[in-house]
Amino acid sequence: MQRYFATKDHKENVILFEDDIFHIQKVMRMKNGDKFEINVDGIIHLAQITSINPLKFEIIETLDSNNELDGYIRLLYCLPKGEKTDLVIQKAVELGVKEVVLINSTRSIAKITNENKDKKLQRFNKIIKEASEQSKRNDLMKLIDVISFKDIKNYDSDISLIAYESTKEASTNLFEYLNDIKGKTVNVIVGAEGGITKEELEIAKSLNYKEISLGKRILRSETACFYILSLLSFFMEK
């Protein structure tokens, strides 16, 4: 069943966004009597359409539904080139990530500047909303800033990990951290195409980030995100 995020007006009436109304009327082609789910501040309601044009609906039931992970995953992602950021954001939502922080790292080819940041964040948050509805999240993933690498110090966590392709750590060491993440806040840094510089690694290690290996093969930037986020999601839910 289709799910939409909604808000409330000053009279506590549930209000759908214009693009969701268009989706109901023109894309889903719903009709009177059809039902859909509405997410209001993390609470899921079942609604039934009473008029399609103009769209009117009534709340008929509050659902006991919680699809969030037992913990808080924060992905700190060094900006890649092209549209890989869009894909990583979408999949991060589906995998239960609570927050993404984008980093203009040394080896990031595509930088986000003050001039284009607002436009980029607006598009990223549209992707987040649509992916959250599709994957039936209770909460919208947060993406509110683009930072320099040194500013990772502003994001506290219980466990902090950095994927580093040149690490001497065995990939089995990762599982020592994974077994203790339930209910915790976990930060994980993934580099851009060129990886993490030694200087950036030292900054992270000074903030108690632990080097992790994602196996013997060199993964693409976006693949590394999917790999580690899948593991974190699995261990938070198991």
Side-chain angles (χ1 to χ4, degrees), residues 163-202:
Y164 186 56
E165 67 276 11
S166 299
T167 185
K168 293 183 173 61
E169 296 290 330
S171 57
T172 53
N173 290 356
L174 172 57
F175 290 91
E176 296 177 10
Y177 305 119
L178 292 174
N179 282 318
D180 190 38
I181 65 172
K182 210 160 191 180
K184 304 283 184 64
T185 295
V186 181
N187 283 2
V188 59
I189 298 175
V190 176
E193 288 85 358
I196 302 290
T197 66
K198 290 184 179 179
E199 292 76 16
E200 289 167 340
L201 178 64
E202 290 307 312

Side-chain angles (χ1 to χ4, degrees), residues 21-171:
I21 294 174
F22 177 86
H23 190 265
I24 289 170
Q25 294 172 328
K26 304 300 183 182
V27 179
M28 298 300 293
R29 297 186 182 276
M30 292 187 187
K31 54 187 183 297
N32 288 356
D34 284 351
K35 298 174 183 176
F36 59 91
E37 294 175 354
I38 297 180
N39 184 329
V40 184
D41 298 327
I43 306 300
I44 313 302
H45 306 279
L46 185 64
Q48 187 170 36
I49 295 173
T50 58
S51 168
I52 195 63
N53 194 12
L55 181 66
K56 296 180 182 180
F57 57 88
E58 60 180 358
I59 303 296
I60 59 175
E61 186 180 353
T62 298
L63 305 176
D64 183 13
S65 173
N66 184 2
N67 295 331
E68 298 301 309
L69 297 177
D70 184 5
Y72 192 106
I73 301 173
R74 178 185 290 118
L75 171 65
L76 297 103
Y77 186 39
C78 300
L79 284 161
K81 61 184 178 182
E83 297 182 353
K84 294 178 182 178
T85 306
D86 293 12
L87 181 62
V88 168
I89 288 169
Q90 182 190 67
K91 300 311 174 188
V93 171
E94 293 177 24
L95 291 167
V97 174
K98 288 286 192 180
E99 182 177 5
V100 168
V101 179
L102 299 176
I103 302 175
N104 279 321
S105 67
T106 303
R107 292 175 176 165
S108 290
I109 297 172
K111 307 277 188 180
I112 293 180
T113 65
N114 287 333
E115 287 71 30
N116 66 6
K117 184 168 77 169
D118 288 347
K119 186 176 181 180
K120 293 274 190 181
L121 291 179
Q122 184 177 14
R123 189 178 89 248
F124 294 152
N125 279 290
K126 185 174 187 295
I127 293 170
I128 289 170
K129 178 178 176 292
E130 291 173 351
S132 298
E133 291 171 345
Q134 179 273 320
S135 58
K136 298 209 169 185
R137 290 283 301 267
N138 287 67
D139 301 328
L140 285 171
M141 187 180 77
K142 290 169 55 179
L143 199 174
I144 58 176
D145 208 358
V146 182
I147 65 171
S148 299
F149 198 95
K150 61 181 176 59
D151 292 327
I152 64 173
K153 66 180 184 294
N154 297 323
Y155 296 88
D156 295 331
S157 64
D158 300 307
I159 300 170
S160 300
L161 307 172
I162 180 167
Y164 186 56
E165 67 276 11
S166 299
T167 185
K168 293 183 173 61
E169 296 290 330
S171 57

